[in-house]
Amino acid sequence: MKTLFPLLTLSLLALPAAQGQERFQQEAYIMNDAGEGEQVWIADSNKTEFLYFETEQGVDSKKMRISEPKAIWLIEPAAYTEAMELYQGRKYEEALKKFEEVREAYKKLLELPDNHSSLAAFHAMECLRQLGRLDDLAKAQETFLPDDRNSLTRPYHQSQLEFYTMWEAVRSKDWSRLEIVAKDYLAKKIPGYQRAQAGYCLGLALEGQQRAIEAINAYNIAMTADTGASEVITSDAALNALRLYLADADVKLAIKLHGTPDEEPNSIGALRLKEAASLASLFELTLGGGKPLPSEFKDLLKYLPEETKAKEE
């Protein structure tokens, strides 16, 4: 049996779809052993074969076993491209709707590797995660079929699906289990965007167990692991850490004594207050992703070390 290479998206080669076309079909290229490609329009598939037309307006269909071609390249639908652009632009609500539309429109090819129905369903779940809609994420996983999971050939898709176990623990507030799972992930060599997730979830787990300072340290992992791409987690982790700093008894005392004869610059509270002030400043500069620092944290900027203020000016 020939090895089926992962399906590739060829958005640059996509041709305009026929106007008013009623039957379902998706443009694709099938490659033979000699590396020669044939443009086809795939209309249906199951786990062993697919039905296709040789021309866009073809009448007579043909069948081919999925294992027969050396590779099958599915052309990326325009709607999927649009959804991905919205996702990458962090417009998650809009992207979610588009992905849901693609999910339904391309279900006929569900058995093909990296089909756009399964890819859209995966990214719809990622939208829900980014939006913090964990109840909806749990429901979406119930409709993500074994065929969907099996069709995704890229390792980062499969590994992210495994991360949903951790997010389910967040949803159920199972803090002790979440701590174990998050620490297990952090002990592994994982990409930055997943390390950010694990750090953030560990912060939630420790905070849920009233271990505030440990939680701040975990949130720091989330803030530094993947600042550019994991904007939502970075921002949320920073805000959670700032909230914990302000609730800390030693920090409260340091604020009360600041500028008075009783101030102790080297106390635990004073050092933590400087950390909080620096974090508030970083939120304004980078961590907030352009969002303003919430008003309840504005006063922290007064406690920035003088050398830090001088650098920023």
Side-chain angles (χ1 to χ4, degrees):
M1 180 181 291
K2 298 179 182 179
T3 302
L4 177 67
F5 287 179
L7 279 82
L8 305 177
T9 56
L10 299 180
S11 56
L12 294 178
L13 299 178
L15 299 177
Q19 297 298 316
Q21 181 173 290
E22 294 182 2
R23 74 184 182 199
F24 170 83
Q25 59 187 27
Q26 183 172 359
E27 187 181 359
Y29 282 82
I30 53 178
M31 306 292 292
N32 60 27
D33 284 336
E36 298 170 341
E38 177 186 359
Q39 184 180 18
V40 298
W41 282 260
I42 301 178
D44 206 350
S45 71
N46 58 34
K47 294 183 179 184
T48 59
E49 61 185 11
F50 60 92
L51 180 148
Y52 68 96
F53 297 94
E54 292 184 322
T55 64
E56 190 173 6
Q57 302 296 337
V59 176
D60 297 326
S61 63
K62 293 186 175 183
K63 289 184 179 179
M64 182 180 292
R65 292 186 66 80
I66 291 176
S67 59
E68 184 175 339
K70 184 177 181 181
I72 304 172
W73 295 344
L74 287 174
I75 302 301
E76 186 173 288
Y80 182 85
T81 302
E82 182 182 355
M84 284 300 299
E85 288 174 350
L86 289 168
Y87 181 84
Q88 291 165 357
R90 298 183 175 88
K91 299 178 180 179
Y92 299 119
E93 288 286 2
E94 296 172 58
L96 175 61
K97 293 178 183 178
K98 282 291 179 183
F99 281 129
E100 289 173 342
E101 291 172 6
V102 175
R103 165 62 164 174
E104 295 304 316
Y106 288 85
K107 265 190 172 179
K108 281 200 169 189
L109 305 188
L110 194 64
E111 294 84 4
L112 291 181
D114 290 322
N115 68 86
H116 290 91
S117 179
S118 297
L119 286 168
F122 169 82
H123 281 100
M125 290 192 294
E126 282 295 276
C127 287
L128 293 171
R129 178 182 68 81
Q130 297 278 14
L131 292 165
R133 292 167 53 180
L134 299 185
D135 287 338
D136 290 331
L137 175 58
K139 293 176 183 176
Q141 289 180 75
E142 294 175 2
T143 63
F144 195 74
L145 307 172
D147 283 342
D148 289 310
R149 179 181 284 270
N150 293 335
S151 77
L152 299 182
T153 66
R154 298 174 178 90
Y156 63 88
H157 287 151
Q158 292 291 342
S159 61
Q160 185 59 29
L161 289 173
E162 298 304 321
F163 262 63
Y164 291 158
T165 301
M166 186 172 63
W167 287 103
E168 175 57 26
V170 174
R171 186 182 75 88
S172 62
K173 295 182 172 58
D174 189 348
W175 303 130
S176 58
R177 177 168 174 267
L178 179 59
E179 179 183 358
I180 293 171
V181 173
K183 284 182 175 179
D184 183 56
Y185 277 126
L186 288 171
K188 299 176 182 178
K189 187 176 181 179
I190 53 177
Y193 72 96
Q194 290 182 338
R195 188 169 181 80
Q197 291 177 59
Y200 179 73
C201 288
L202 178 59
L204 293 175
L206 295 169
E207 183 178 351
Q209 297 175 82
Q210 312 303 315
R211 293 153 63 186
I213 301 305
E214 291 178 79
I216 289 173
N217 293 334
Y219 285 137
N220 187 58
I221 295 173
M223 286 182 262
T224 58
D226 191 41
T227 306
S230 301
E231 183 181 90
V232 174
I233 281 179
T234 298
S235 173
D236 288 349
L239 293 177
N240 284 359
L242 288 171
R243 177 172 44 77
L244 290 176
Y245 273 124
L246 281 183
D248 182 74
D250 290 321
V251 172
K252 288 180 178 179
L253 180 60
I255 291 174
K256 182 178 180 180
L257 298 179
H258 183 75
T260 71
D262 295 324
E263 181 180 5
E264 298 181 24
N266 295 318
S267 68
I268 291 176
L271 294 174
R272 288 178 184 167
L273 180 57
K274 289 179 182 179
E275 292 173 1
S278 297
L279 180 55
S281 178
L282 273 175
F283 187 94
E284 287 197 318
L285 293 172
T286 58
L287 300 181
K291 293 184 296 185
L293 180 68
S295 58
E296 61 264 37
F297 303 128
K298 286 282 188 183
D299 283 349
L300 284 171
L301 297 174
K302 297 188 302 186
Y303 306 105
L304 269 176
E306 291 302 321
E307 59 271 21
T308 304
K309 289 181 182 178
K311 288 180 182 178
E312 292 185 357
E313 291 171 357

